[in-house]
Amino acid sequence: PIASQSERLTLKYLFWFSLPLALTFLMMSGSAPLVTIGITWMHDADGERIHLSAFLITFATSIFLYSPMFFARNVAIRTVTDRRSLYRCGSFFVFFALISSFILILVSRVDVAGDLLFGTLLSTDPEIAAMARGGMLAFVPIPVLVALRGMGHGCHINNGQTWYVGFGTFLRLAMMALF
């Protein structure tokens, strides 16, 4: 099996296999600037600073809290071989994604947790902290979606279907631009 795999690794194969994955990361890195442009477009100069600060704090804090979900793709590539392993791996990541979602709710809605994070650790202006905590509610479903997306990416990459990964990321970016 190893010899037949190494024979497939031509430059042409590697290029077409890797291109959608490279484009995926380019599109993903463009999502935050897209949202910040939308915020600056919607608010005048007075509100722009407050809204951008709140968004960036919300975005960075939320990503930090659900960052363990980002390696679901890597794990799926290595471990998912059949339906049973897919369900087992999926259950593992959805469980921890739900914990991440719970932490987002906790920081957003429980004053002690929110004040500790935004007031004590980050020394955020109270108005910006209130907006950031409210904005975190929009991020609550994202850990589960990121875990499932990672699992799907891993399965498609395992099956040589990287164009599905690239096209799915394009649709995600298009929806973000639309909304």
Side-chain angles (χ1 to χ4, degrees):
I2 294 174
S4 63
Q5 281 183 332
S6 65
E7 290 171 11
R8 283 184 52 190
L9 292 179
T10 64
L11 288 177
K12 180 180 176 183
Y13 173 80
L14 285 172
F15 176 81
W16 290 111
F17 182 82
S18 301
L19 180 64
L21 300 175
L23 292 174
T24 293
F25 282 98
L26 284 172
M27 288 184 283
M28 285 173 43
S29 65
S31 62
L34 183 66
V35 172
T36 57
I37 289 169
I39 291 171
T40 57
W41 178 71
M42 290 177 61
H43 301 282
D44 58 9
D46 295 334
E48 180 181 328
R49 180 192 68 81
I50 293 170
H51 288 88
L52 278 177
S53 296
F55 166 71
L56 293 175
I57 289 172
T58 302
F59 187 74
T61 304
S62 296
I63 284 180
F64 174 75
L65 292 174
Y66 69 78
S67 62
M69 298 307 103
F70 287 122
F71 71 89
R73 175 169 70 176
N74 299 11
V75 173
I77 289 170
R78 178 72 175 114
T79 61
V80 175
T81 56
D82 56 15
R83 284 193 188 278
R84 183 172 185 241
S85 60
L86 174 67
Y87 293 137
R88 181 165 286 171
C89 196
S91 298
F92 173 82
F93 278 103
V94 168
F95 174 75
F96 285 103
L98 290 172
I99 291 173
S100 295
S101 293
F102 175 75
I103 293 170
L104 286 167
I105 293 170
L106 188 72
V107 170
S108 175
R109 291 290 152 223
V110 176
D111 289 336
V112 173
D115 291 344
L116 176 68
L117 178 64
F118 291 112
T120 305
L121 294 175
L122 298 177
S123 300
T124 308
D125 176 87
E127 183 181 12
I128 293 171
M131 291 176 72
R133 287 178 64 186
M136 288 182 89
L137 286 178
F139 284 82
V140 168
I142 292 178
V144 174
L145 297 174
V146 167
L148 294 175
R149 180 187 72 191
M151 295 286 300
H153 282 188
C155 292
H156 284 302
I157 291 168
N158 261 349
N159 292 310
Q161 301 167 331
T162 56
W163 285 100
Y164 288 123
V165 175
F167 186 70
T169 303
F170 170 75
L171 288 176
R172 175 180 154 248
L173 187 64
M175 291 298 107
M176 286 181 69
L178 181 67
F179 289 111

